[in-house]
Amino acid sequence: MKILVYGCGVIGSYLTHVLCSAGNDVTVCARGRTRKILEKYGLRIKHKLQNKKTIDRPRMIGEADENERCDIVFSIMQGQQQTALLPTLARVNAPLFVLVGNNLCAADTEREFHRLAGDDKTLLFGFQGTGGVREGNHTVCVRWGSSRLVCGGLHSFPSPRDKAALRTAFAGTKYGVGFMDDMEGWLYCHAAFILPIVYLSYKRGCDLRTASRNEVNDITAAAKEAYALIKRAGIKIRPVGDEAYFESRAKMTATNLALRAMAKTFVGELAATDHCRNAVTEMEYIDREFNRLRGIVPDFKMPVWDRMRAAMPDWKEVHRIYDK
């Protein structure tokens, strides 16, 4: 398949690697320093947990040719950056577009995309569970297994045609593709778990090793409050029935143990605090948009969430500390 990729950061690098491994004709659209590094050194990844290195050499371009048709376009970048890219994406000659990453403005994004591109192009939203950091001419990637893409429409499953296209794109690899019927709900539920980790990371100077047991346990307590808010605001909980997770003492205990183990190891750095250091604008965007959701039900109480959020420095100070 002919596949065009926008965004070759940590998450985009691994997704591009998998697409290349599947034998696709992959083109990466990049500019500036990223393009120079990829052209000179190739797409180099250190797979931390797998203790291996890979090098791929996708075709590099600075701008897509509107006359060149491709089968799928993947845009892998921060949510607030996706909005700015929509006019460019709308001009690409392709039937299927997948926006991968944190996007709490998915409804607005879909509406604007179709305003620009028309209704004959399909827009899906996706999320890939990998972490890591860019170091010099390569990416350090942390992932469990071969990772997977959760993918779907705003409020619907992908069509049979689009499911088949995505399965074909990753055929021959161990990479998983899971389909979701409501990605708006899935992305809000994901943020419900991510933001408490963000708040604690900034409180602890992006060093979760210094966090206490009670502070780490607060992550799941805050997430439970957030799930209840999401449901009260009329957004679907996804995956289906996921809120029942918080009613299981055994599952909550296991999650708290896993979070404490993560916080004390390099996994916590690569999966959480490194991203907090290097993507302050994205973290602020997720916080702002989730807070906007709270405005729908302003009387809804979230005491643990509010305590964690109040304990971190304000966003102006966070930018001062970490922006380079």
Side-chain angles (χ1 to χ4, degrees):
M1 302 184 77
K2 289 181 65 65
I3 296 178
L4 178 61
V5 176
Y6 284 86
C8 211
V10 172
I11 294 172
S13 291
Y14 182 67
L15 182 58
T16 301
H17 161 68
V18 176
L19 290 168
C20 290
S21 299
N24 297 291
D25 179 1
V26 182
T27 298
V28 173
C29 188
R31 297 178 180 177
R33 183 172 180 271
T34 298
R35 182 178 181 181
K36 291 179 180 177
I37 289 174
L38 292 175
E39 288 180 331
K40 182 175 182 180
Y41 299 102
L43 176 59
R44 295 173 175 248
I45 302 178
K46 291 183 179 180
H47 306 263
K48 186 74 173 180
L49 298 180
Q50 291 72 27
N51 192 29
K52 70 174 186 178
K53 300 177 182 179
T54 56
I55 302 177
D56 299 285
R57 293 194 177 273
R59 182 167 71 105
M60 301 299 304
I61 59 173
E63 186 173 347
D65 182 350
E66 296 178 23
N67 296 315
E68 183 177 354
R69 185 174 176 82
C70 55
D71 298 300
I72 306 177
V73 176
F74 288 96
S75 177
I76 311 107
M77 55 186 61
Q78 299 173 11
Q80 75 280 2
Q81 295 172 333
Q82 297 280 22
T83 302
L85 188 64
L86 290 179
T88 298
L89 292 176
R91 294 192 297 269
V92 177
N93 186 1
L96 177 59
F97 296 75
V98 184
L99 307 189
V100 180
N102 293 300
N103 190 336
L104 297 193
C105 299
D108 293 339
T109 300
E110 182 184 70
R111 187 163 42 248
E112 179 65 5
F113 176 81
H114 286 303
R115 185 187 73 81
L116 294 167
D119 294 327
D120 59 334
K121 297 179 178 180
T122 298
L123 183 69
L124 300 177
F125 298 91
F127 193 90
Q128 176 183 277
T130 52
V133 64
R134 292 296 295 268
E135 291 183 352
N137 62 13
H138 65 274
T139 295
V140 178
C141 175
V142 59
R143 56 184 171 84
W144 288 263
S146 297
S147 194
R148 69 194 297 262
L149 179 73
V150 178
C151 183
L154 187 69
H155 301 304
S156 64
F157 281 112
S159 69
R161 181 196 64 185
D162 294 331
K163 286 182 179 179
L166 288 164
R167 289 189 179 110
T168 300
F170 298 105
T173 72
K174 295 182 179 180
Y175 188 83
V177 182
F179 299 113
M180 187 60 55
D181 69 330
D182 196 299
M183 281 302 293
E184 181 179 53
W186 194 97
L187 289 165
Y188 269 109
C189 290
H190 178 71
F193 258 107
I194 292 302
L195 280 171
I197 296 174
V198 171
Y199 300 152
L200 181 55
S201 293
Y202 288 135
K203 175 187 178 182
R204 286 295 179 177
C206 284
D207 184 0
L208 289 176
R209 290 181 175 88
T210 66
S212 70
R213 172 179 296 196
N214 287 338
E215 286 176 325
V216 175
N217 288 349
D218 277 346
I219 292 171
T220 50
K224 181 179 180 179
E225 294 174 348
Y227 265 63
L229 169 75
I230 292 166
K231 192 170 185 177
R232 180 72 67 85
I235 294 174
K236 294 178 180 178
I237 300 297
R238 288 297 183 269
V240 174
D242 209 34
E243 70 272 31
Y245 179 95
F246 297 103
E247 306 308 321
S248 169
R249 184 184 296 273
K251 289 181 179 179
M252 289 284 280
T253 299
T255 300
N256 287 334
L257 288 171
L259 286 170
R260 291 203 295 270
M262 181 192 77
K264 302 301 181 182
T265 66
F266 72 90
V267 176
E269 287 188 37
L270 291 174
T273 52
D274 275 332
H275 196 62
C276 286
R277 287 191 199 95
N278 297 308
V280 175
T281 299
E282 181 185 19
M283 299 301 101
E284 183 180 18
Y285 155 78
I286 299 170
D287 177 60
R288 181 179 66 248
E289 294 306 321
F290 198 92
N291 199 51
R292 188 171 68 166
L293 179 67
R294 295 191 67 179
I296 297 176
V297 280
D299 59 340
F300 192 86
K301 304 300 182 184
M302 298 175 66
V304 180
W305 184 281
D306 288 337
R307 172 161 49 81
M308 293 190 74
R309 190 170 186 265
M312 64 168 271
D314 63 34
W315 286 110
K316 184 178 180 180
E317 179 65 7
V318 173
H319 278 285
R320 187 192 68 78
I321 295 170
Y322 298 106
D323 283 352
K324 298 177 181 178

